[in-house]
Amino acid sequence: MNGVELFLLGRTLMKIGEQAMPPTTSGSPGPARSVLVVLGDVLSHPGTTVGEIAARTGLPQSQVSTAVARLEQAGSVDTEPDPADRRRRLVHPTATPSARVAEVRATTIDDTLAAVLTGPNGITPHPDTIREVIQALDLLAQRLTPSVAARARDVDAAAEHTAPKQHRGHPAG
C-alpha cells in the first residue's frame, strides 16, 4: 500500500463511519466530521482551549469554535473562562455523556458494513466477512490512535523546518 492508497482508504472509512452514525434529531445540519474530531480531542485533553484544539487537530480555529458551540449546545462539553487569560475559554467534557453521545457510541457498524460490502449483484457478504473486517478495523483503531496522527503531524512539521531551503530558484548549497 502506498500513501495515496492509504489516504483514499482513510476517506472511504470516514464516509462509512458517517453513514453508520444515527441521524441527528436536533435539526442542526452540517458535517459531523469536525464535531467528532473536536470531541475526541477534548476527551483526550480536558481543560483545553479552542486554539490548542485547532493546533492539535489541524482544523481551522473558526471550525473548532463552531464545533465547540454545537457540542456545548448538545450537552457534550462545558466551557469556562481560562483563569490565566479571561478572554479564552477552557473546554471540558461533561461529567455525563449527552444522550446523543450515548446513542452514537451504542450504534454498531455491522449493518452499514453489510450494506457497503454488498456486491453490485445484491449478494450480501457472509457474516464471517463482516466479522473479519470489524476485527481488522478494531486492530487498526488500537494501533492507529489519535496520538499517532499527532506524531505524524509533528514529523511533517519537523521535516518542513529541516528541509534545505531554495533561494531565487537556485538549489540550496
Side-chain angles (χ1 to χ4, degrees):
M1 175 173 284
N2 62 38
V4 172
E5 292 167 331
L6 179 60
F7 176 80
L8 293 174
L9 174 61
R11 287 189 49 86
T12 299
L13 291 174
M14 236 182 347
K15 298 278 186 204
I16 293 169
E18 288 172 346
Q19 290 173 4
M21 298 232 209
T24 180
T25 57
S26 69
S28 82
R33 200 173 299 153
S34 60
V35 173
L36 291 172
V37 169
V38 169
L39 181 58
D41 187 81
V42 171
L43 291 171
S44 298
H45 304 94
T48 191
T49 66
V50 167
E52 292 165 342
I53 296 168
R56 281 190 299 270
T57 63
L59 293 172
Q61 192 159 333
S62 61
Q63 202 171 6
V64 172
S65 294
T66 300
V68 167
R70 286 180 64 189
L71 288 164
E72 191 169 22
Q73 183 181 10
S76 299
V77 300
D78 290 320
T79 63
E80 65 180 359
D82 183 347
D85 182 348
R86 307 293 283 173
R87 296 170 295 175
R88 296 187 314 181
R89 301 202 50 83
L90 300 177
V91 185
H92 300 273
T94 55
T96 305
S98 68
R100 174 68 179 161
V101 169
E103 176 189 27
V104 168
R105 287 183 179 164
T107 304
T108 67
I109 61 171
D110 301 51
D111 292 341
T112 302
L113 280 178
V116 300
L117 293 174
T118 295
N121 54 4
I123 297 176
T124 58
H126 191 276
D128 287 345
T129 301
I130 295 170
R131 197 170 13 266
E132 289 170 359
V133 171
I134 290 172
Q135 288 172 344
L137 292 171
D138 283 340
L139 179 62
L140 288 172
Q142 291 170 10
R143 300 282 197 271
L144 301 176
T145 62
S147 62
V148 170
R151 284 196 302 275
R153 279 193 303 275
D154 292 345
V155 168
D156 284 347
E160 287 177 15
H161 292 298
T162 59
K165 302 215 185 297
Q166 292 188 2
H167 299 284
R168 296 188 185 127
H170 301 291

